Amino acid sequence: MKKVFFFKNSLFLIFFVVVASFILLFLLYGTVKLENTIQKKMVEISTTDVISIIKNSAETINRQLDKTKSYNVQIKENEALQKDIEEKLEALITQNIKYVYLLYKDERGVFRFLVDGAKSENKAFINQKFDIDNEKWLSIYTTKKPTLIKNKYLKQLSITYLVPILNNDNVELVFAVDFSVEKLDEINKIITLMKNGIIGIISILILFLIVLIIQAIKYLSVKRSAYIDRLTNVYNRNYLHELETFINLDQYIIGAIDIDHFKVINDTYGHDIGDKVLRQISHIILSSIRAKEDIVIRYGGEEFLILAKVKREDRFIALNVIERIFTNIQKSKIHISKKDVLEVSVSIGVNLEPNKSRTFSQAFKLADIALYNAKNKGRNNIQIYDETNKRFDDNNGLLSINEIKEAIEEKRVICYYQKIVNDEEEKYTQYEALLRIVDKNGNIVTPDKVLPVIKGTFLLRNISKRVLKICFEKLLEEPNIMINVNLNPQDIVNDSVLDILKRFASKPNISNRLGIEISESEDLINCKDSKENILLLKQLGYKIYIDDFGSGYSNFIYLAEVNSDFIKIDGTIIKKILDDKIAFLLVKSIVQFAKEANIEVIAEYVCNKEIYEKVKSLGIKYSQGFYFSIPKEFDKKS
């Protein structure tokens, strides 16, 4: 769950950065508002006295003028009045009050100087044009109220204060004063530093957020590629391992799907057609499920796992999804060429109550058992696990397909060894390698709990490859022993298995010590390729053993054709040799034929001294069974 944990942490970091950014933006907004409030307060404090003086001065000028005449005409015609007003205006000039002047608007609406309180070198002359840069200059004629105009600069606020001078309720003159308010440097520096700091932190956080989002997108892309099967576009086994830890078994039913006879399709039409079948089947499954509710996982070569969501505790609604998949696959036809069409069927096992299992693995195993039951009943059907299926699990102890696959992947496939006794002393001590699987609890599982489950699947071939490798390594470790390994007829015609045996034969002192035991069967006898490949193996130096001979397909001519080295008489016949006359005569005839064909005979299942003495009396030199040793891990002393 490390990846999931990392991803959750990434989401948490993104959430944290976004929240922190919003908090800082809010703080920045509050700082700007604080600056405006401070400036407003500064203006209010700094201008109160100045505005009061300006208003008093405007009233004084208004009182000096005759309200029965035009104000601007009076001032223009009365030089003494003009001089008096000018002196009053000059008296207002201070360090902060820069300009004081009296304006009027002519008949064309142009503002002109009437009196200027500036010093002589900067003083405007009477009737000189005054250009305005703000609409508030005009609004004063409508509002007839004093107006404040602010101009912000770096270190100060420049303010123009306009006071209308009314005559008979008409604005005749405008008394204007320009003054400045110095900003408090320390406050200004602190506020500026705060703003810059907050902006810097926000910028870093935004950059970090962008990087996090990019990394999260990349991670999701990688995660998707790690969890999606490229061929079928459904989830893969990596996702299944993740899913096991957090899935709620109350919310799903489990369906295990296996494509019937997929190995035959691959062997007959090739892997490209096999891949096409997988893609088509996965497409049908995906189109049959409910989007964003059901889950599809390819957990093996031709096996799919369906997790169908349960709604309103009605598990049969979820079962409808499984049945829809089955029906849609039955209806489908896969075009393998312009003329040829392939009809594919599937077997499905369903666990309707996974919530009764303690773990996902146990729940999946029950679906797998139901799948095995579906295969046993002729394939192309759906079987639902119930208590009657338990005989496959509890009584027989069969492993599930998934358990066997995990055992192969986790290298829990091992070999036990049973000695083959030779009455005549030879250079080598000979053993038969017997398959064993160590389950997750450390228990040893025998082949009868494994081979019936994987018969006809690619897993049987993988098991054979694993056993071959184990035996090869044991032969390298022990130069003075011989080991027989069991292969099935399908292994003999498989190119990858043959390649392994060819590679082993290129090593010195290996093929002459590695015996190939092949179970006698109809497939072995009727397959032309198997005969050719057996002869090839003999040329490479391998000894050929026909296993379980006499169990039902005995063909003496075939033994001569493949030039087999040994016959292992089936143990069920050897067991009855003391009491069953037919069994005795059969063994006697096999021994007689083998002697004429120059083939050695091994008696299996020799479990006591009486049987051993009987087989020796028939001229059988090799024996194997519990009378001599039980299968166990390799021990040089045994």
Side-chain angles (χ1 to χ4, degrees), residues 235-237 240 255-258 297-301 303-306 364 368 371 401-402 405 409:
Y235 289 114
N236 59 21
R237 291 195 66 183
L240 179 59
I257 299 178
D258 184 86
I297 301 169
R298 182 188 176 198
Y299 69 94
E303 296 122 349
F304 295 86
L305 170 68
I306 309 297
F364 181 27
D368 213 20
L371 172 61
I401 288 177
N402 195 45
K405 280 189 291 192
E409 291 169 359

Side-chain angles (χ1 to χ4, degrees), residues 195-374:
K195 285 198 298 184
N196 292 341
I198 292 171
I199 291 171
I201 294 171
I202 291 173
S203 301
I204 293 170
L205 282 174
I206 290 173
L207 181 62
F208 183 56
L209 179 62
I210 292 170
V211 171
L212 266 179
I213 291 172
I214 292 172
Q215 289 299 322
I217 292 170
K218 285 183 178 179
Y219 173 73
L220 283 174
S221 177
V222 171
K223 192 179 180 77
R224 176 178 169 78
S225 64
Y227 287 162
I228 298 296
D229 179 63
R230 292 183 180 180
L231 178 64
T232 59
N233 204 36
V234 301
Y235 289 114
N236 59 21
R237 291 195 66 183
N238 293 333
Y239 184 79
L240 179 59
H241 289 311
E242 292 280 348
L243 188 71
E244 289 185 49
T245 58
F246 59 83
I247 188 170
N248 185 347
L249 294 175
D250 290 321
Q251 296 181 350
Y252 295 93
I253 67 169
I254 300 176
I257 299 178
D258 184 86
I259 301 175
D260 295 333
H261 307 296
F262 184 73
K263 182 181 181 300
V264 176
I265 295 171
N266 260 341
D267 293 343
T268 306
Y269 299 102
H271 290 284
D272 289 341
I273 296 300
D275 289 347
K276 185 173 184 179
V277 169
L278 286 170
R279 284 193 295 269
Q280 185 73 19
I281 293 298
S282 64
H283 176 73
I284 294 170
I285 293 173
L286 288 172
S287 62
S288 303
I289 64 171
R290 299 161 294 179
K292 298 182 180 179
E293 292 185 358
D294 305 320
I295 301 170
V296 183
I297 301 169
R298 182 188 176 198
Y299 69 94
E302 70 274 19
E303 296 122 349
F304 295 86
L305 170 68
I306 309 297
L307 293 170
K309 191 76 174 283
V310 174
K311 289 189 174 181
R312 298 183 297 276
E313 298 186 357
D314 188 348
R315 298 187 177 275
F316 289 97
I317 292 177
L319 182 60
N320 289 338
V321 175
I322 307 291
E323 292 175 342
R324 184 164 60 245
I325 292 170
F326 180 75
T327 303
N328 290 343
I329 291 174
Q330 280 188 319
K331 292 178 181 177
S332 68
K333 297 183 187 300
I334 299 173
H335 294 271
I336 58 176
S337 67
K338 291 183 179 179
K339 296 181 180 179
D340 298 325
V341 174
L342 190 64
E343 293 185 2
V344 178
S345 66
V346 295
S347 302
I348 302 178
V350 180
N351 181 1
L352 277 179
E353 298 177 313
N355 57 322
K356 289 186 177 180
S357 300
R358 295 177 64 183
T359 65
F360 177 83
S361 180
Q362 291 175 351
F364 181 27
K365 181 179 179 180
L366 300 184
D368 213 20
I369 291 169
L371 172 61
Y372 177 75
N373 195 24

Side-chain angles (χ1 to χ4, degrees), residues 41-74:
K41 201 67 178 177
M42 287 166 57
V43 171
E44 184 181 332
I45 294 170
S46 303
T47 58
T48 301
D49 293 340
V50 175
I51 290 172
S52 177
I53 292 169
I54 294 170
K55 284 183 178 179
N56 290 335
S57 299
E59 290 174 1
T60 301
I61 294 171
N62 197 4
R63 286 196 297 269
Q64 287 183 267
L65 298 173
D66 185 353
K67 293 180 175 52
T68 61
K69 298 179 181 179
S70 171
Y71 284 178
N72 66 339
V73 173
Q74 290 182 58

Side-chain angles (χ1 to χ4, degrees), residues 110-207:
V110 177
F111 282 91
R112 297 186 179 277
F113 280 95
L114 193 59
V115 178
D116 187 3
K119 295 186 179 180
S120 57
E121 63 269 17
N122 295 321
K123 192 183 295 293
F125 54 83
I126 197 167
N127 289 328
Q128 181 177 330
K129 182 182 177 183
F130 179 81
D131 295 320
I132 64 173
D133 57 2
N134 195 304
E135 292 295 326
K136 288 185 177 181
W137 284 85
L138 299 174
S139 66
I140 198 171
Y141 285 88
T142 304
T143 63
K144 300 177 184 179
K145 294 180 179 179
T147 299
L148 194 72
I149 302 174
K150 298 178 185 177
N151 298 300
K152 293 184 179 181
Y153 296 103
L154 184 62
K155 293 187 177 181
Q156 63 180 19
L157 293 174
S158 179
I159 299 172
T160 300
Y161 191 66
L162 308 178
V163 180
I165 297 178
L166 305 178
N167 184 10
N168 296 323
D169 203 33
N170 291 319
V171 178
E172 282 210 28
L173 302 177
V174 176
F175 185 47
V177 179
D178 292 335
F179 62 97
S180 62
V181 177
E182 295 290 333
K183 293 183 179 179
L184 299 177
D185 286 343
E186 292 303 320
I187 294 177
N188 186 55
K189 286 178 182 178
I190 292 170
I191 291 175
T192 303
L193 187 63
M194 286 174 62
K195 285 198 298 184
N196 292 341
I198 292 171
I199 291 171
I201 294 171
I202 291 173
S203 301
I204 293 170
L205 282 174
I206 290 173
L207 181 62

Side-chain angles (χ1 to χ4, degrees), residues 416-421 430-434 482-487 515-521 524 543-554 556 559 564-575 586-587 590-591 593-594 599-606 615 620-625 631:
Y416 273 20
Y417 300 89
Q418 187 175 37
K419 185 178 285 189
I420 299 173
V421 176
Q430 191 169 359
Y431 299 89
E432 179 182 359
L434 300 169
M482 296 178 65
I483 296 177
N484 291 0
V485 61
N486 288 279
L487 297 181
I516 307 298
E517 293 194 12
I518 309 166
S519 296
E520 182 200 18
S521 68
L524 179 68
K543 294 286 192 296
I544 302 300
Y545 296 69
I546 302 301
D547 198 13
D548 298 331
F549 192 79
S551 59
Y553 296 100
S554 299
F556 292 98
L559 294 176
S564 62
D565 299 287
F566 287 84
I567 295 171
K568 297 187 75 173
I569 300 177
D570 186 61
T572 57
I573 300 173
I574 296 296
K575 281 182 180 179
L586 179 57
V587 173
I590 292 172
V591 172
F593 166 79
I599 300 173
E600 295 288 354
V601 176
I602 300 175
E604 294 186 296
Y605 285 67
V606 177
V615 298
I620 299 175
K621 291 191 298 183
Y622 295 89
S623 299
Q624 179 181 355

